[in-house]
Each structure stands twice: as structure tokens, then as C-alpha cells.
Amino acid sequence: MKSKENEKDLMIRKQELSLPASAALPPMLAERMALYPENKRRPVNKTVFNNQYFQLTYNTRNHSMAISSKGDLVYSAIPYDTARNYIQRAAIQYLLHPEEIRRYIELHQTTLEKYLTLSIFQVTGNRVEENSFEVKQAYNAILQNPLLEIQIAGRLMQHDETGPLSANLAGKFLFSENVKTGIAGYISEYLNFVVQLAHSLPLMIDGKDVQLLEAAGQEQQLLEQGLTIHSDIDSALSLLPQEVKKGLENALVATDSASLVNTQPLLRSEYGEELSKVRDNYVAHSVHPDEAEKYFRNVHSTENRNLVNVVSDIHSKDGKLPFLNRHFNILTGDVSDSRVHDEEIEGIYLIGGHELVDVLPETTDQTDEQWEKWRPFFHYAWFKELLQEPDEAWYLLPTGNHPFYEVVEAELAARFPKMNVLNNKSLIHEDVRYIGLTIPVALVKRKKAQQQFILKALEKLLGENTEIPTVIVSHAPLFNELSLLPETSEAYNKDYICEEPKIEKLFEQYNIIGAIHGHHHIPASSRRFKNAEFAGKRLFVVCSIYSKVNTGFELMSLLQN
């Protein structure tokens, strides 16, 4: 199974569908919108379909659709519960492949037993062993309750992608405590809505994204990815509780808005005061994921067989790469926080922010000969800050044509002898040209200087060959238009847009087919690529952040389109 963006539960209940910026409103959506009078006073987010608890809306500005729960329905009584998208994805996968969800959970049994041991301690204060009767009983309870099984699968996806969980484990993993959270009711109503929606409009829904099926035969192509009208959910129906099964069967024959209540959902109108008290008195019981990591073993394969493998932001802390790929890799920065070296990995390497510290000498004695190559930069304020407080130095860094990056490049090349460090350089692999630009961070306040650097570097590296397929690679995205970071993210800055028209002209003139970046730690579950409109053409944008369930993205799937 494949699966942070760290949304911090910003009331974001959206699953986005990107349409071309110039796309006209599909007639089937226009017809649906006409059924809802409230759309006359809504200039942007138009209702397309709804029921008592959920709605599908269409954003007329960015031509996107989103599923959102209505204000009265509570997803979880657990404060700061960030697993909504993971659990929704697990719910869709349970409808499609319940047996795979069960196998996924069984694969993680040792991980679950650790969580259950800690959960029991949080509730009772008693320390039990992982092989105790209490833990085995709690584990079996998960397998006997499909709505809890869906939740656990989602939590494990989050664990694999973002690191160990630590807060309010009892409510997340123990059936006796989970029934108080309202999540089961939320899942039930969510399943009702998406089944009804998929049978009313030609859509593919995967728990995070919603895709409009416009091309003939596209339903069959996307059948395995998410829920469509052609999905066979009979196996899941036979396993779900009777009240949920009945609601889904009703949804299958429904053709318009309906009120389908199966399990008791948690509603703010009824429990608002109690929820406020819970949040006011909340004790997280949290430890940092880095501290908890050592107690969990990775149950996934570290081998990756992608032919052109894109991955970034590994932040390795044990001196080695955590995955194996013997084909062509594109490492888009922030790979190492522990002086990683690998003599066998091949491909291209982009300089990220963390490399700038990782390549510096271990000794603090700056009279040592190891510091000789760095001495020309000692007088720079940004370099002094980099040595003392790196987190404060990122936005002081010089633009990517500075001699400092040449020294960084040489250090990385020595550690990765079969990699090509693309410090404002290009490389052709399998008839595709990759241009690597050194953009360690997004310099929003110095956007003009940054974009002047991008322009000059591209003018030099693109050269005279306008026909060869070209991919632009950088650690931080070039600008918002070619970034996978959504506007709903706290890290998003609306000012980081392309304001240099000559860059757009270059994209028009040359056969630039896509852009790759890292930096923003966008999880695989949020999506790893999109198609974007820029300079009058359709380009792919890829961001593939490392996690245990994501050791890279296969770029060949986009290069061959």
C-alpha cells in the first residue's frame, strides 16, 4: 500500500482536484450547480453535491473541486488529530481492497503491540508486556471492528510516513476509548457520501484527491486508484457493520442529496461545550518522533527499483542512505544530517539547505587545515550565522551563483563519487536533459535577485537546443507556479510568484516538460505530482519526500507521457 503535509488540522477537510487554469466549467458540473439556490450568492465555492454532513464544492478561481465536511460534524474529539486524510484514504482502500488493509495491519503487528502497550498504560497506569493477554485482546479487538480497523490502517500510514505517533494513543488504538472520539461515526458518514457521490457523478475518489473522469475509458484506468461507479465494493459490504452496510446500500441507489445516518456521529451542536472542555484540559502525552523512532522497526522493503527515482529531504541521521536503488536517482537536497556517503548510488544530486552545514568540518578549531577551503567565507554574516544558528541563516544565504556552493559541490562529489552534483549545471540521461539549479531555500524577500539568478542560469544552460525534453530540478521550488505546496499550507507565501517575464519566455521557447523540487516536506499521501499551467503550456511538477513507505517516485511515468 502506498500512502504530512503538516496541516495541524487547520480545518482543512479538502481533497483537491487540479484542473487546467484555463479549463471551462464542465457541463455536468454546471448542471449540478444550478440545483442549489445558494450558489447565486457564492462567487467562488459553488456547491456541486451534498448531503446532511458533507459537500462537494467547485472553486471558480482555481478550477478545483473539494470534499469538505459541514461545520456540525466533528471528525475527532482528540485535539490536534492530524490523521484525517490518512484515515479517509484507508476508508476508500477498505471499500476497494479490505483484504489488503488487513494484510497491512498484520504486517505492522509488532508496531501495533507497542502502541497498544503504551495506550493501556495511558488509561490504567499499569505497565504490561507487549506479549501480554491485555495487548493481545486489544489487538484482536481491532480486527473485529471494521471501522476501527480502517482507523488503525490510517494511523499506520501516518506512522510510516511521518514517524511514530505519541499523543493520545489510547483514543487512537483502544476500542474502549476510541468509541468516545466520534471517528467511527465520521467514517460511516464519509463512506456514505463518497459512495453516493461516485454513483452520481463520473469521479474517482481516493480519500485525498477527487478526479473528474472526462476521457472515455478513463474509469477503467483509475479503477484501482480510487472509488468510481465501476468499483466492486461487495467484499467490504459483507464485512462492515449492518447499520453501515445498510446506509451504503441506500447510497448506491440514491441519486441526489439525502440524510443517511448509520452510526451516531459527533456533532458540535450537541457536544460543543464538552469538546471545548476537552481541548482546554488537553494533555498531549507526547514525545518527539525522533525519540520514539528507535522503538519501532521498519517493516517495509528498503529496495527501490524505479528506473528514474525522485526522492528528497531524507535527513539521514545514521551516516547512510536508508534505501537502495541501483538505477538513476534524482536526490533533490536535504539528504544528509550525518555526513552520509555512498559510493554506489548513481544519478544527480541537488544542493539543499542542510547540505551547507553537513559538509562543514567536524572540528570547531578553525585554525585546523580542514577549514582552509572555507576561510574565504569567514567574513560573511550569513556564514557566521550558518555556523552558530543554521535555522536563522537560511534566508540570509547568497543566491545560487556564489563560490561557496562550488566548495559544497566538491565536498558532496567526494562523498557520492557516482552522482553528478548539479550546482547550476546540466546532464543528459536517456535523451532527457536535467538542469539543476542551486536554490537551497525560497528567498521570498529577495525574490527579484533570486529570479534574476534563475533567468541567467537558464539562459546559459538551455543553450541552442530548443527541442530536447528538459526538466528543471532544484531543492526549493522555483516559484509558486511550479510548486506542489498548496495554498492552505502555513509555509505557503502568495508573494513567491514568478515576476520575471523573460523566464516565462524561456519556458515557451524551449521544450521544458516539468519541474522537480523538495524542501516543503509534502507527504506522499498529499500527492507527489501534479500537472500545472505555466507559460502557456502544461508541465508536470514533482515533489517526492522520503518516508518508510515512499523511497522515491518513478519519474518514467511522466517522462513517457
Side-chain angles (χ1 to χ4, degrees):
M1 294 180 54
K2 297 178 181 178
S3 78
K4 134 180 141 214
E5 177 169 345
N6 187 14
E7 296 169 331
K8 297 183 180 179
D9 204 13
L10 295 171
M11 302 301 288
I12 302 168
R13 304 182 180 91
K14 298 182 178 181
Q15 297 106 28
E16 298 177 350
L17 160 67
S18 293
L19 296 175
S22 59
L25 183 63
M28 67 186 74
L29 297 185
E31 292 172 6
R32 293 291 316 184
M33 290 180 199
L35 299 176
Y36 297 92
E38 63 267 29
N39 285 335
K40 293 181 180 180
R41 59 180 185 274
R42 291 181 180 174
V44 180
N45 292 315
K46 307 278 190 178
T47 301
V48 177
F49 191 91
N50 70 11
N51 71 5
Q52 184 174 355
Y53 296 116
F54 287 90
Q55 60 189 353
L56 175 71
T57 57
Y58 181 88
N59 187 302
T60 57
R61 288 179 180 165
N62 59 20
H63 305 286
S64 66
M65 287 195 295
I67 291 176
S68 59
S69 59
K70 295 183 177 178
D72 199 31
L73 180 64
V74 176
Y75 149 63
S76 171
I78 300 173
Y80 313 110
D81 189 343
T82 59
R84 185 202 312 271
N85 285 331
Y86 296 97
I87 290 174
Q88 289 175 175
R89 187 172 188 276
I92 297 295
Q93 289 303 309
Y94 190 91
L95 281 182
L96 302 173
H97 313 291
E99 69 289 345
E100 290 188 16
I101 288 289
R102 174 62 60 89
R103 284 197 293 268
Y104 185 72
I105 289 174
E106 290 173 344
L107 178 67
H108 289 75
Q109 183 171 349
T110 57
T111 295
L112 265 177
E113 287 171 347
K114 291 185 185 297
Y115 279 131
L116 291 170
T117 299
L118 294 169
S119 299
I120 291 170
F121 175 72
Q122 286 185 2
V123 171
T124 67
N126 297 326
R127 297 191 181 277
V128 297
E129 297 296 326
E130 290 169 28
N131 61 353
S132 66
F133 170 77
E134 292 87 348
V135 170
K136 298 298 182 186
Q137 186 179 45
Y139 177 78
N140 289 331
I142 294 170
L143 304 182
Q144 294 166 7
N145 295 275
L147 295 180
L148 180 57
E149 191 173 352
I150 289 170
Q151 295 176 57
I152 296 302
R155 303 285 182 194
L156 291 173
M157 290 178 190
Q158 185 179 27
H159 167 101
D160 285 339
E161 189 167 286
T162 69
L165 316 178
S166 58
N168 269 39
L169 298 180
K172 296 172 181 176
F173 292 96
L174 294 180
F175 178 77
S176 60
E177 304 305 307
N178 181 263
V179 294
K180 306 170 187 176
T181 66
I183 304 173
Y186 178 94
I187 294 172
S188 177
E189 297 303 335
Y190 178 78
L191 290 174
N192 280 330
F193 181 74
V194 295
V195 168
Q196 189 179 5
L197 180 59
H199 283 74
S200 300
L201 285 167
L203 301 170
M204 186 281 289
I205 307 161
D206 69 7
K208 170 63 179 175
D209 293 325
V210 180
Q211 185 166 339
L212 185 64
L213 305 174
E214 297 181 284
Q218 197 176 9
E219 292 93 337
Q220 189 62 39
Q221 296 174 22
L222 297 172
L223 192 59
E224 293 300 312
Q225 297 181 29
L227 181 69
T228 75
I229 192 172
H230 299 292
S231 298
D232 181 359
I233 63 173
D234 289 344
S235 295
L237 287 178
S238 68
L239 297 170
L240 288 166
Q242 188 61 35
E243 61 270 26
V244 182
K245 177 181 178 181
K246 182 179 179 181
L248 290 176
E249 289 173 339
N250 289 340
L252 287 169
V253 299
T255 58
D256 214 318
S257 301
S259 175
L260 300 169
V261 181
N262 303 304
T263 60
Q264 182 61 46
L266 194 60
L267 303 178
R268 285 186 176 82
S269 58
E270 298 179 17
Y271 298 98
E273 187 174 341
E274 293 177 42
L275 286 169
S276 296
K277 290 180 180 178
V278 168
R279 284 165 166 76
D280 289 342
N281 300 315
Y282 173 61
V283 179
H285 304 291
S286 294
V287 295
H288 195 279
D290 288 346
E291 292 296 315
E293 185 74 48
K294 57 188 176 182
Y295 298 109
F296 297 89
R297 71 180 180 90
N298 180 22
V299 298
H300 299 282
S301 173
T302 60
E303 184 174 4
N304 178 303
R305 298 183 180 181
N306 293 340
L307 296 179
V308 180
N309 185 49
V310 181
V311 65
S312 75
D313 298 83
I314 296 171
H315 293 282
S316 176
K317 296 182 179 179
D318 63 0
K320 57 184 180 181
L321 292 177
F323 73 96
L324 176 68
N325 182 293
R326 291 304 181 223
H327 298 290
F328 188 82
N329 293 269
I330 301 176
L331 304 183
T332 59
D334 281 9
V335 169
S336 171
D337 286 321
S338 57
R339 294 175 167 80
V340 171
H341 64 276
D342 192 304
E343 295 182 355
E344 296 302 322
I345 189 169
E346 300 181 28
I348 61 178
Y349 192 130
L350 276 296
I351 297 174
H354 283 242
E355 276 79 11
L356 308 184
V357 177
D358 196 56
V359 298
L360 295 175
E362 294 185 71
T363 177
T364 58
D365 180 6
Q366 294 186 358
T367 63
D368 190 285
E369 63 179 11
Q370 296 180 56
W371 283 95
E372 188 61 34
K373 66 188 69 175
W374 306 102
R375 209 170 301 284
F377 315 113
F378 279 7
H379 66 283
Y380 288 112
W382 56 263
F383 188 78
K384 295 176 183 177
E385 198 71 46
L386 199 64
L387 297 178
Q388 298 174 11
E389 294 290 342
D391 288 344
E392 301 299 320
W394 302 134
Y395 305 106
L396 303 175
L397 294 174
T399 53
N401 58 353
H402 198 278
F404 172 68
Y405 299 119
E406 296 176 9
V407 183
V408 176
E409 175 191 347
E411 291 293 304
L412 292 175
R415 293 184 187 178
F416 299 86
K418 293 186 179 180
M419 295 290 282
N420 295 275
V421 182
L422 294 192
N423 172 34
N424 308 318
K425 296 180 180 180
S426 67
L427 175 83
I428 296 176
H429 174 74
E430 299 291 340
D431 299 321
V432 176
R433 175 171 57 186
Y434 297 91
I435 290 180
L437 300 181
T438 297
I439 306 179
V441 293
L443 297 176
V444 181
K445 292 184 179 180
R446 288 186 283 143
K447 177 178 56 178
K448 184 175 181 180
Q450 182 86 303
Q451 292 184 7
Q452 279 297 305
F453 152 69
I454 292 172
L455 174 63
K456 291 179 181 179
L458 288 180
E459 286 177 336
K460 176 183 176 182
L461 295 170
L462 286 168
E464 297 181 0
N465 190 338
T466 61
E467 299 301 321
I468 185 171
T470 300
V471 179
I472 313 296
V473 192
S474 57
H475 176 62
L478 302 175
F479 26 73
N480 288 343
E481 292 87 340
L482 296 178
S483 170
L484 217 60
L485 186 69
E487 295 181 22
T488 50
S489 169
E490 286 185 319
Y492 184 85
N493 189 314
K494 62 181 178 59
D495 295 324
Y496 195 58
I497 58 174
C498 181
E499 292 186 345
E500 174 50 73
K502 291 182 180 179
I503 293 178
E504 285 198 59
K505 289 291 185 182
L506 286 178
F507 273 77
E508 292 174 6
Q509 181 182 355
Y510 289 85
N511 187 21
I512 299 173
I513 60 174
I516 300 172
H517 72 87
H519 185 57
H520 286 299
H521 290 224
I522 303 167
S525 59
S526 293
R527 64 179 170 173
R528 289 187 280 173
F529 79 94
K530 72 175 182 180
N531 290 310
E533 292 282 324
F534 181 70
K537 63 171 68 175
R538 195 170 176 84
L539 309 169
F540 66 72
V541 182
V542 173
C543 179
S544 187
I545 303 301
Y546 170 81
S547 73
K548 288 184 175 62
V549 292
N550 172 35
T551 58
F553 174 79
E554 176 59 273
L555 192 65
M556 288 295 290
S557 60
L558 297 177
L559 295 178
Q560 294 174 344
N561 285 344

